[in-house]
Amino acid sequence: VDTKVALNLDPPARSVSVQVPIRNVWLRCGERAKVVEDIGPDRDDIEGTVPRKSYAEFVEEHLAKFSRGELNSPAPGRPVPGDEKHDKDFEARRKVAEANRRQLERQGVKPLSPFQKKTMQDLEKAKEALNGEMYGVPVPPTLGELQKWGAKWLTRAFHTAGTLPKDNAIKKVKAFKRLPMTGKMAAGGSGPKAFITVEYERFDPELHTELFAKLPWAMGAGPGEKTETDVFKAKDMGIDPFYRWKLSANGDYEAQEATIYRFLGPVFPFKCPKYYFADICRENTNYCLITEKIPYPKGGNGTVYKPYDVLPVAEKYFDFQLEPRMRYEM
């Protein structure tokens, strides 16, 4: 009967490669019908069977219940003291997380609006400096713009993010170094990056003067920048429209990264770069992340690294040059 169903489709499914999946679905529908007959038609959670609702209907209903606070799924809970797996630092981190949550509620922090896919035409707006959703601060479209905006914008961004005390400011940007995006020393592939050296109005041991900035690929040259037709030269300028569309318009990677640094960084049970600023504009997908600069060592033959030491950067596709232990840990 499954073959007849396949052949009666419009257009008919004549190849075996198409008929087999149809047969499998048909058989599962038959199995579900039998289970429903046994336990009743009002169950939607029959494991291993085809649900009555479409996936879209199920998700819409689930999200609606979630927004109304009607879902109270059980959670594992915190570790029991005395358990050999209990993290002694867990309770302190839990208190930090609760304090952060209360602070965010007092500040009226809202979650990001849902991600929506964009077309290449939509990304033409990426050349504009629009406000981000988290803090309402303009998000630089290119590294060149970020460099031009300088200390004034960095001060505003850090003040708004609460990572720089209001009675302090960035006095000047002492150095702005773009990282190479091509060749053996290419610094990743998700977008252009830069090291920024700053000087504060007032010294503070809690503030880093060496910072790291990351943006998505630009859609074109920024104001005052030369339009580059050579692909590799454009890449080193931070321009790659195709990968901008592929990464920013088809997935929510940047927003996830910003959210993790902002909300989870302080409570992770391991060290991660200190967060200074991150924001994303949903309208044009512009994104900016600024953290402390990781002091990667240059390394060399015979260098011994202890636990928790920062290991040297492994050049892209050259990790085979590392000693075997480091290949594993990378």
Side-chain angles (χ1 to χ4, degrees):
V1 67
D2 43 272
T3 304
K4 290 181 179 178
V5 170
L7 291 173
N8 285 329
L9 293 177
D10 185 17
R14 300 186 183 280
S15 69
V16 175
S17 62
V18 177
Q19 289 181 2
V20 169
I22 293 176
R23 179 201 63 191
N24 293 340
V25 172
W26 184 263
L27 290 175
R28 291 191 67 191
C29 288
E31 292 170 2
R32 187 187 193 289
K34 185 177 184 306
V35 176
V36 171
E37 183 179 350
D38 292 340
I39 69 172
D42 297 328
R43 292 282 300 279
D44 280 331
D45 57 348
I46 304 170
E47 186 176 355
T49 62
V50 178
R52 288 185 299 169
K53 298 183 180 69
S54 69
Y55 182 72
E57 290 173 330
F58 167 77
V59 169
E60 287 182 3
E61 182 177 327
H62 182 82
L63 292 177
K65 289 181 179 179
F66 181 80
S67 63
R68 294 194 298 267
E70 297 176 1
L71 295 180
N72 295 301
S73 302
R78 64 176 183 264
V80 179
D83 185 348
E84 61 180 7
K85 296 182 179 180
H86 178 62
D87 181 357
K88 296 180 180 179
D89 195 35
F90 184 89
E91 189 65 21
R93 293 184 180 279
R94 184 183 66 82
K95 292 179 180 178
V96 171
E98 289 181 353
N100 289 346
R101 189 178 301 111
R102 288 194 296 270
Q103 180 182 356
L104 292 172
E105 290 175 352
R106 289 194 299 269
Q107 294 175 344
V109 174
K110 299 179 181 179
L112 284 170
S113 58
F115 168 78
Q116 293 183 341
K117 286 190 174 183
K118 302 288 185 182
T119 64
M120 190 67 86
Q121 289 72 27
D122 293 333
L123 292 183
E124 285 298 315
K125 287 187 177 181
K127 298 175 182 178
E128 304 175 27
L130 304 180
N131 290 343
E133 290 218 1
M134 288 186 176
Y135 300 114
V137 175
V139 180
T142 65
L143 278 180
E145 287 292 281
L146 175 59
Q147 185 174 7
K148 289 178 184 177
W149 293 357
K152 184 177 181 180
W153 182 87
L154 289 171
T155 298
R156 178 187 175 188
F158 292 5
H159 279 167
T160 309
T163 54
L164 177 65
K166 294 291 186 181
D167 61 352
N168 204 349
I170 295 176
K171 184 177 180 180
K172 63 179 178 179
V173 175
K174 300 177 68 175
F176 192 100
K177 179 184 177 183
R178 289 174 178 258
L179 301 185
M181 299 310 298
T182 59
K184 181 180 177 181
M185 299 303 294
S190 59
K193 304 168 182 70
F195 290 149
I196 307 174
T197 304
V198 300
E199 179 182 334
Y200 297 96
E201 292 284 357
R202 181 172 53 81
F203 171 76
D204 187 333
E206 297 297 320
L207 299 175
H208 294 85
T209 57
E210 298 291 336
L211 305 174
F212 166 80
K214 172 185 176 182
L215 274 67
W217 294 108
M219 291 297 292
E225 294 181 337
K226 177 184 176 183
T227 300
E228 188 57 69
T229 56
D230 182 272
V231 174
F232 291 100
K233 290 182 180 179
K235 197 91 171 178
D236 272 329
M237 289 177 60
I239 302 170
D240 193 324
F242 173 73
Y243 267 91
R244 173 60 178 272
W245 169 80
K246 186 175 182 180
L247 296 174
S248 300
N250 289 280
D252 206 16
Y253 312 111
E254 288 111 348
Q256 293 173 9
E257 185 175 38
T259 302
I260 288 173
Y261 268 108
R262 183 183 182 188
F263 296 114
L264 298 183
V267 295
F268 273 148
F270 49 82
K271 181 173 173 56
C272 64
K274 182 178 178 180
Y275 165 85
Y276 281 92
F277 177 82
D279 210 343
I280 188 168
C281 174
R282 286 300 199 198
E283 185 175 350
N284 64 7
T285 73
N286 280 347
Y287 164 72
C288 179
L289 169 69
I290 302 177
T291 69
E292 68 169 291
K293 173 185 172 182
I294 300 177
Y296 288 111
K298 292 184 178 180
N301 295 332
T303 304
V304 178
Y305 297 96
K306 301 184 296 296
Y308 304 106
D309 281 352
V310 177
L311 302 181
V313 173
E315 294 92 353
K316 289 289 183 179
Y317 309 115
F318 284 85
D319 49 321
F320 63 87
Q321 295 181 347
L322 299 172
E323 60 178 277
R325 179 181 68 84
M326 289 178 63
R327 294 180 208 168
Y328 172 78
E329 293 183 352
M330 283 292 184

